[in-house]
Amino acid sequence: MGNDAVHPLEKLVSTFDADEQNGVHAWLGNTLPGISLRSNHERVVDLPPRPRSDDPAAIRSVGVIGGGTAGYLTAIALRTKRPWLDVSLVESPTVPIIGVGEATVPGLVVFLHHYLGIDVEEFYREVRPTWKLGIRFDWGPDPDGFMAPFDWDGNTIGTAGAMRTDGHIGAYTVQSLLMGADRVPVFDLGDQHVSLMKYLPFAYHMDNARLVAYLAAVAEQRGVRHVRSTIADVVLSSAEHVDHLRADDGRELRFDFYVDCSGFRSLLLGKALKTPFHSYASSLSTDSAVTGNLDHGGRLKAYTSAVTMQSGWCWQIPTPEDDHLGYVYSSSAISDDDAAAELSRRFPGISEPRQVRFRVGRHDRTWRGNVMGIGNSYAFVEPLESTGLLMITSGVQSLLAALPPSHDAPHARDLVNRGLADRWDALRWFLSLHYKFNTRLDTTFWKEARANTDISGAQALLDMYATGVPLRFRHPLLRVFARVSTPTFYGLSGVETILLGQQVPTRLLHPAELDGAWARRRAAAEAFVRRALPQHEALAAFHTDPSFNQALLFDDDSWASPRNAEQIGMAAG
């Protein structure tokens, strides 16, 4: 059909009477493209139902038990999204904040500034975040390790071309090149700065103590009641229902609904309700960490580092003052003192070490009766891939999406329980690939990890990977089968990056482009990288010019735009 030809739909509608034509155009639009016949034209909004004033089973008060990031994010979200709720945060004055660096993923930027409506300029002033483009893994057989950038879904330069040309994935995306050069996508043109941050996803590095202090202030501003009390007992009215809490000073604390954010103590979900726990130890054998801070001399890396150690690995997270480090290890493979000594040898000048214990796994359910566990009270995996805050926000969003107005109302409890359990299990299998195939060291710990790590839940993905990469170019039906049979958590691109970075054998798909095309893309991308700024200079430009963050959060073409926030359930309001 020529450019000037009348569209068949337009020709058909021209035979309608005038009122009918007006109705069709009001429905489908003035140009009447045929595709509009299968488009969604209805607008509805999912407003959470309010409790009825005469309902004795109504949920009007919520007690968030425990502070930290899990408790404060939950309390702020409840007051923000359901302002009619009376929300109290019960925090023990004797439980300290774990003051370590916190690495995150891009979704947290959207969660904080759209879903919770936290002012971005105030956040930068009070929390002083730095930027993270991804993770640098000192991992696998390549002495230089590999990059796992946040644009791994983009394939912007080319995975297959990088493997064919270089034998590794160091130059497969724009952000991978930026990370290798220790630069961020902000540029100094002399008379002005130009930011491309809105086009390339990034996350925050933060000091946890500073973050929690800021969230506590926001919670107070939003009307969260702060109850400083240590819980001595949880009194049940049935096997699935908490009646009240008893504090160590004799007070009774009663709420219609309880959110357990008590961390590894899991006072309600684990201890009181005796919810069974499923260990991930056969896949993830670490259970301890020793942490400390190290002066970085003003160099703010654009990534989190994951450094292979004798009996585990070490995170390195840049904050404005210093790098926060943590050696994650197995207490059965090395003593606490020896782990601290190894960390000090590897990073001379590190501060006095602090010990942390944890267990990996999840409880059978996150939501039972009038209790939901969020954060470590429900589940935990070690810090690889920076999923701690991500999984907290998943729990928070699940709670707000499914919390009924009344205990007698229909609910989606089983759906939430299954969905969050599947997400945690998917994370387990994804992280297990980091241990099974890391050949950096031949210590006893790593030999046992390669021999014994349970990766059974990821086997279908491994089979697909072995038959050809890049996975994005495999048959669409195979990709659907892979996602359905084995949840990938970070998608097929995440799995592919971790396996290729560790040089797990596979077959490269045939190129379907002219010779030299990949090299030309790389050269063009490197032109950007050569001109990009180091992070401390780029952050200074953002602090000076608020328009950069406004463009990031509100321009339609930004990865963190309100439209994209709405699509992933994180819209404001």
Side-chain angles (χ1 to χ4, degrees):
M1 187 170 64
N3 290 336
D4 297 329
V6 177
H7 194 283
L9 182 60
E10 190 72 65
K11 185 178 294 186
L12 171 63
V13 173
S14 69
T15 67
F16 293 5
D17 64 38
D19 286 343
E20 290 172 330
Q21 288 186 42
N22 290 336
V24 170
H25 283 290
W27 169 32
L28 301 180
N30 290 328
T31 59
L32 292 185
I35 196 173
S36 64
L37 283 170
R38 65 172 187 267
S39 300
N40 174 50
H41 296 278
E42 182 179 39
R43 291 190 61 82
V44 298
V45 59
D46 183 13
L47 293 176
R50 296 188 179 222
R52 298 194 327 268
S53 59
D54 61 346
D55 182 1
I59 297 174
R60 300 187 183 90
S61 64
V62 178
V64 179
I65 314 305
T69 49
Y72 280 106
L73 287 174
T74 300
I76 293 168
L78 284 164
R79 284 292 300 163
T80 302
K81 297 300 184 181
R82 301 201 180 188
W84 57 85
L85 287 175
D86 185 345
V87 179
S88 298
L89 186 142
V90 182
E91 186 173 28
S92 172
T94 63
V95 177
I97 298 294
I98 300 176
V100 300
E102 190 88 61
T104 66
V105 297
L108 186 75
V109 176
V110 180
F111 180 87
L112 289 174
H113 304 306
H114 287 305
Y115 190 79
L116 295 186
I118 286 176
D119 179 77
V120 65
E121 298 302 324
E122 181 183 77
F123 181 79
Y124 271 73
R125 285 195 306 271
E126 299 299 325
V127 181
R128 303 185 66 199
T130 64
W131 295 328
K132 171 186 174 183
L133 304 185
I135 301 174
R136 175 181 178 143
F137 282 93
D138 289 336
W139 212 270
D142 191 328
D144 294 328
F146 66 94
M147 304 297 183
F150 287 133
D151 65 342
W152 59 20
D153 280 328
N155 201 42
T156 47
I157 301 173
T159 304
M163 293 299 296
R164 274 195 188 85
T165 305
D166 299 333
H168 58 75
I169 56 172
Y172 77 131
T173 76
V174 174
Q175 276 185 316
S176 184
L177 289 178
L178 285 165
M179 290 167 65
D182 215 353
R183 294 289 189 268
V184 296
V186 179
F187 307 84
D188 185 354
L189 304 188
D191 59 341
Q192 68 177 109
H193 286 89
V194 170
S195 170
L196 302 182
M197 296 287 282
K198 71 175 184 176
Y199 300 117
L200 295 169
F202 69 92
Y204 291 141
H205 291 125
M206 298 171 289
D207 175 82
N208 181 263
R210 198 152 49 213
L211 172 64
V212 171
Y214 174 68
L215 293 176
V218 173
E220 182 179 7
Q221 294 166 5
R222 303 277 174 100
V224 175
R225 301 176 190 270
H226 191 201
V227 181
R228 295 185 67 80
S229 184
T230 299
I231 303 304
D233 192 20
V234 179
V235 180
L236 304 181
S237 60
S238 71
E240 297 285 324
H241 197 90
V242 171
D243 184 75
H244 66 274
L245 311 177
R246 185 175 295 116
D248 61 356
D249 60 5
R251 281 184 295 170
E252 288 189 357
L253 304 174
R254 293 179 180 272
F255 307 101
D256 299 323
F257 195 89
Y258 298 81
V259 185
D260 188 347
C261 296
S262 62
F264 294 120
R265 294 168 297 158
S266 194
L267 294 177
L268 283 72
L269 188 68
K271 185 178 178 181
L273 294 176
K274 296 181 171 52
T275 309
F277 186 80
H278 301 286
S279 174
Y280 292 163
S282 64
S283 298
L284 307 171
S285 59
T286 59
D287 61 4
S288 305
V290 56
T291 70
N293 298 353
L294 182 69
D295 180 56
H296 54 41
R299 182 193 174 195
L300 291 176
K301 301 180 187 70
Y303 47 79
T304 303
S305 299
V307 180
T308 301
M309 303 285 280
Q310 297 290 313
S311 298
W313 66 280
C314 179
W315 76 68
Q316 191 168 5
I317 296 171
T319 70
E321 298 84 5
D322 47 29
D323 284 343
H324 290 219
L325 288 82
Y327 180 5
V328 180
Y329 60 93
S330 168
S331 61
S332 65
I334 189 173
S335 71
D336 296 342
D337 289 342
D338 287 345
E342 184 188 348
L343 184 65
S344 295
R345 289 194 303 272
R346 185 66 178 268
F347 299 98
I350 193 170
S351 64
E352 188 70 22
R354 303 182 298 273
Q355 295 288 340
V356 180
R357 287 277 189 265
F358 57 83
R359 65 174 182 176
V360 294
R362 65 169 174 83
H363 286 282
D364 185 61
R365 287 174 285 171
T366 185
W367 185 354
R368 292 186 61 185
N370 64 340
V371 174
M372 182 168 174
I374 291 180
N376 299 341
S377 64
Y378 167 52
F380 182 78
V381 294
E382 60 158 74
L384 259 176
E385 297 289 353
S386 310
T387 56
L389 279 177
L390 169 63
M391 296 308 290
I392 288 172
T393 62
S394 293
V396 169
Q397 292 176 81
S398 300
L399 170 64
L400 269 298
L403 184 66
S406 168
H407 290 297
D408 289 341
H411 57 76
R413 186 187 302 131
D414 291 344
L415 180 66
V416 169
N417 281 329
R418 185 70 267 153
L420 286 176
D422 286 348
R423 290 209 80 195
W424 279 100
D425 291 349
L427 181 52
R428 169 201 186 165
W429 301 122
F430 179 58
L431 295 184
S432 71
L433 302 178
H434 298 61
Y435 281 93
K436 185 70 173 180
F437 300 107
N438 184 9
T439 58
R440 174 60 63 99
L441 295 178
D442 278 329
T443 60
T444 300
F445 172 86
W446 284 107
K447 286 179 180 178
E448 290 181 355
R450 291 192 290 271
N452 301 324
T453 297
D454 178 11
I455 58 170
S456 57
Q459 192 58 53
L461 294 174
L462 291 168
D463 293 343
M464 182 180 178
Y465 168 87
T467 61
V469 298
L471 296 177
R472 67 176 56 249
F473 297 117
R474 303 302 303 278
H475 192 282
L477 195 56
L478 279 183
R479 299 202 304 270
V480 170
F481 289 164
R483 287 191 290 268
V484 171
S485 64
T486 308
T488 56
F489 198 82
Y490 282 134
L492 294 177
S493 297
V495 171
E496 180 176 271
T497 294
I498 297 306
L499 295 177
L500 285 174
Q502 296 176 96
Q503 299 186 14
V504 178
T506 184
R507 174 181 70 95
L508 286 178
L509 302 184
H510 295 289
E513 59 184 10
L514 297 175
D515 289 345
W518 183 88
R520 289 190 292 274
R521 287 194 298 273
R522 175 178 179 164
E526 287 177 333
F528 284 98
V529 174
R530 282 192 297 272
R531 293 163 174 81
L533 294 176
Q535 179 168 184
H536 70 278
E537 293 183 27
L539 273 170
F542 263 63
H543 289 314
T544 301
D545 189 347
S547 69
F548 288 135
N549 267 322
Q550 291 304 304
L552 170 77
L553 292 173
F554 297 105
D555 283 4
D556 283 342
D557 58 348
S558 171
W559 63 269
S561 69
R563 178 185 302 173
N564 288 337
E566 183 177 13
Q567 290 175 351
I568 59 175
M570 291 196 201

